[in-house]
Amino acid sequence: MSKVSENLMLSNYQATTKKTGSNILGKDDFLKILITQLQNQDPTSPMQDREFIAQMASFSSLEQMTNMNQTMQQFLTFQTEASLLQQSQMIGKQVTYESETVDEEGEKVLEEKEGTVKAVLFEKGSVMLEMSDGSKITSFQVIKITDPAK
């Protein structure tokens, strides 16, 4: 076969290749494959009941997992919003919190600091407390909350 023929065959192959835009098969893709398989099966040797039931069970499982994933995403969004609102009560409060620092020998040391919460924000997937000095901490670092001295 000549080089020209090989290039022509390769370009024909590449022209017929379709890109779906995703490497993940969803429930719609699975159902389309199943319908196509049923339409194109050999009439003299139809799909066995067991095979069909197994594929339908797989489809049902895929659909349930997809629905559960959507529900979990909604739940996580709700939890994040609720946490942001709950933490907003900390604005204006005096807090004592633990901060990890490194000493002269390179050892990690937990240090207690105090400050006033200036703002609550959502950053890098978690709720953060912004202190009056501009530093940001998580609520897990807080060990004491008090009203500021008036």
Side-chain angles (χ1 to χ4, degrees), residues 3-129:
K3 190 71 170 167
V4 173
S5 314
E6 287 177 18
N7 287 340
L8 184 57
M9 286 177 60
L10 181 60
S11 67
N12 285 341
Y13 172 74
Q14 289 172 339
T16 59
T17 303
K18 291 184 180 180
K19 293 199 178 200
T20 61
S22 174
N23 293 333
I24 301 171
L25 288 176
K27 64 181 181 179
D28 293 335
D29 298 320
F30 185 83
L31 191 55
K32 286 176 188 175
I33 291 169
L34 182 61
I35 290 170
T36 303
Q37 186 178 9
L38 288 172
Q39 289 172 343
N40 295 311
Q41 67 181 333
D42 182 3
T44 62
S45 176
M47 184 185 297
Q48 297 294 319
D49 289 345
R50 282 179 270 136
E51 293 174 32
F52 183 72
I53 291 169
Q55 287 185 351
M56 288 306 293
S58 295
F59 175 72
S60 178
S61 295
L62 174 64
E63 186 172 25
Q64 290 299 318
M65 287 174 31
T66 301
N67 293 340
M68 190 172 9
N69 185 37
Q70 290 172 347
T71 302
M72 287 298 292
Q73 289 297 328
Q74 291 171 345
F75 177 74
L76 289 173
T77 300
F78 174 75
Q79 286 296 101
T80 301
E81 291 170 359
S83 179
L84 185 66
L85 290 173
Q86 288 173 344
Q87 299 299 326
S88 69
Q89 296 176 12
M90 302 276 287
I91 296 173
K93 300 285 185 185
Q94 181 77 22
V95 296
T96 303
Y97 60 96
E98 293 180 329
S99 178
E100 191 174 275
T101 58
V102 179
D103 65 8
E104 297 84 30
E105 290 115 29
E107 299 290 322
K108 292 182 182 178
V109 178
L110 278 180
E111 186 173 54
E112 282 189 16
K113 294 184 177 182
E114 288 188 0
T116 303
V117 178
K118 179 173 94 174
V120 178
L121 53 124
F122 185 73
E123 187 175 274
K124 298 178 185 173
S126 62
V127 178
M128 304 291 289
L129 305 175

